[in-house]
Amino acid sequence: MSITDKVPDYIRRIVPYVPGKPIDEVEREYGIQGSAKLASNENPLGPSPKALAALREHLEELHLYPDGDCFHLRHALAARLNVAPERLVFGNGSNELIDLAVRTFLRPGDEALMSRGSFVAYGLALAAMGAAVRTVPLKDYGFDLESMAQAMTPETRCVFLANPNNPTGTIYRRPEWEDFLERVGPDVLVVADEAYFEYANDPDYPDSLRYHREDRSLLTLRTFSKAYGLAGLRVGYGIAHPEIVAVMNQVREPFNVNAAAQWAATAALDDAAHLQRSIEVNRQGLTYLTEELTARGVEWVPSHANFILVRTGDPARVYEELLRRGVIVRPVGPEFPEHVRVTVGTAGENRRFLDALSEIQAGDGGAG
Ligand SMILES: *Cc1c(COP(=O)(O)O)cnc(C)c1O
């Protein structure tokens, strides 16, 4: 009857990603102005001034296709990370690289492993491929790497880990990670998604880059969307063995990273001061939020990232009530029936969230 009848069931079953509500939309719907978006883990300080300058400088070149190889960004980043340039693969956000990894290494019916209560993009990419997905629950809001290792079968082709995890902000530490890696064979792609790498400062946080080896199929993913403040431009990168990168490049769309993203990311890499400021503002914001939440008797999950999972109870209503007050947070779905996720904002935004939450809880007549 129609081409859509030919779409396989595994595609029909996909529930599309629901992004954080855009500021514009909230302000239109609620007739308010000046709302605070604490919903998508964006950098509250904005982009690096150096990135903005680079964009202005190159605008006249926008009629040209981007460099499909990301030459300048590749070499700048390779030098920064101290890895060979051929170990880097770039994406339209690291989200595209999640998709690219799945399209490159999995076929319909292939087995993949992930955790419930982790980043939803993994499940979406796997669902679109028709992969057979096994999921393991979180334990105390963090990855249960022991159970994940046990859940692996000889058919498992790929495992998705996020460190820090989104939406919980938790990390797994060196001993569990090393033990896990020892139990994974080279025919399983381990994706270590480190979108919040720059914020993690626990002494036992394992930088997955240090664990790349010839006989390991490890893909580290990072992004310019979070600490680097360039979410709107869409640029992320993967680090892996050159053979892994080479096959991903065979599947990759040739101009997947736009020119503006390449100019801005290359310049942002050079702005250590902005990055440091961003990390510092986040550290202070997290401390402030957690102290104030505790003082109000509200529970939260210790975070190593730029957001925090807060146990407000009744997240659908709290979300809605916060929206009315111009504060946009993120409900995080059925895995977390009592929590909302709140991005750490500027000091003013954090205060605004706390004030609005107090107001809502006072309205409940509860003690908080
Ligand atoms: C935000 C996020 C990403 C990716 O974002 P991009 O903007 O596509 O680079 C990837 N993984 C996790 C866990 C994230 O939270």
Side-chain angles (χ1 to χ4, degrees):
M1 166 91 49
S2 141
I3 186 66
T4 55
D5 295 338
K6 302 289 181 197
V7 173
D9 277 347
Y10 62 79
I11 300 281
R12 289 181 180 282
R13 279 195 298 265
I14 294 175
V15 182
Y17 182 79
V18 183
K21 212 169 166 69
I23 291 176
D24 262 9
E25 194 177 309
V26 173
E27 299 189 346
R28 268 196 316 273
E29 284 177 18
Y30 292 85
I32 50 179
Q33 276 185 345
S35 47
K37 188 177 179 211
L38 304 176
S40 302
N41 305 339
E42 292 140 338
N43 187 330
L45 300 186
S48 142
K50 288 195 179 182
L52 294 177
L55 287 170
R56 282 189 207 100
E57 183 189 333
H58 288 283
L59 279 177
E60 310 276 320
E61 298 158 39
L62 276 177
H63 61 299
L64 300 173
Y65 276 97
D67 175 355
D69 193 44
C70 298
F71 180 88
H72 293 289
L73 177 56
R74 177 181 304 276
H75 285 271
L77 190 57
R80 172 62 47 87
L81 297 173
N82 195 24
V83 302
E86 63 270 19
R87 289 183 180 265
L88 296 174
V89 56
F90 293 90
N92 184 39
S94 53
N95 214 311
E96 188 199 15
L97 296 171
I98 293 167
D99 239 45
L100 184 58
V102 169
R103 285 196 290 136
T104 305
F105 296 106
L106 272 78
R107 301 279 70 89
D110 280 355
E111 215 175 273
L113 183 64
M114 54 179 255
S115 210
R116 285 200 288 284
S118 183
F119 191 43
V120 290
Y122 313 143
L124 287 172
L126 292 166
M129 176 52 72
V133 183
R134 285 166 168 270
T135 60
V136 172
L138 297 178
K139 189 168 139 191
D140 299 329
Y141 298 101
F143 276 96
D144 181 354
L145 292 185
E146 171 64 32
S147 298
M148 289 186 86
Q150 281 173 20
M152 261 183 299
T153 77
E155 307 309 317
T156 306
R157 284 286 74 78
C158 153
V159 182
F160 280 100
L161 303 175
N163 207 34
N165 185 38
N166 176 8
T168 57
T170 52
I171 59 166
Y172 47 78
R173 291 177 167 76
R174 220 170 272 127
E176 319 147 62
W177 161 249
E178 289 176 1
D179 182 58
F180 178 82
L181 276 184
E182 287 311 311
R183 295 161 71 175
V184 185
D187 51 1
V188 179
L189 181 73
V190 175
V191 180
D193 182 348
E194 296 177 342
Y196 303 96
F197 172 82
E198 292 82 2
Y199 297 106
N201 68 351
D202 189 282
D204 290 324
Y205 174 78
D207 170 355
S208 70
L209 267 195
R210 297 178 186 277
Y211 293 85
H212 284 255
R213 263 184 5 200
E214 282 304 301
D215 60 343
R216 226 171 235 164
S217 302
L218 181 56
L219 172 63
T220 298
L221 294 183
R222 297 198 187 150
T223 182
F224 285 92
S225 295
K226 308 289 161 60
Y228 283 97
L230 296 175
L233 283 175
R234 316 302 303 125
V235 53
Y237 56 98
I239 307 128
H241 191 282
E243 285 174 19
I244 292 177
V245 167
V247 280
M248 287 175 75
N249 273 326
Q250 285 177 279
V251 178
R252 182 177 63 80
E253 191 206 322
F255 302 114
N256 62 328
V257 180
N258 72 76
Q262 294 185 40
W263 304 327
T266 308
L269 260 189
D270 229 19
D271 195 344
H274 186 72
L275 180 65
Q276 269 328 105
R277 211 160 35 241
S278 303
I279 292 168
E280 183 55 23
V281 162
N282 185 66
R283 198 189 56 75
Q284 291 173 2
L286 259 184
T287 303
Y288 170 69
L289 281 169
T290 52
E291 285 176 1
E292 291 292 318
L293 287 167
T294 299
R296 289 162 164 79
V298 180
E299 289 177 30
W300 40 273
V301 178
S303 172
H304 298 259
N306 67 341
F307 56 84
I308 184 163
L309 195 61
V310 182
R311 189 172 184 178
T312 57
D314 199 355
R317 196 183 62 85
V318 168
Y319 169 67
E320 181 68 30
E321 290 290 329
L322 285 170
L323 279 185
R324 283 179 201 291
R325 292 164 173 82
V327 179
I328 317 170
V329 300
R330 190 70 177 275
V332 274
E335 290 296 321
F336 304 96
E338 303 194 322
H339 295 78
V340 296
R341 192 194 68 194
V342 183
T343 302
V344 178
T346 60
E349 290 169 330
N350 298 334
R351 151 78 41 201
R352 193 148 160 213
F353 159 71
L354 289 166
D355 288 349
L357 185 65
S358 292
E359 225 178 271
I360 295 166
Q361 293 184 322
D364 291 345

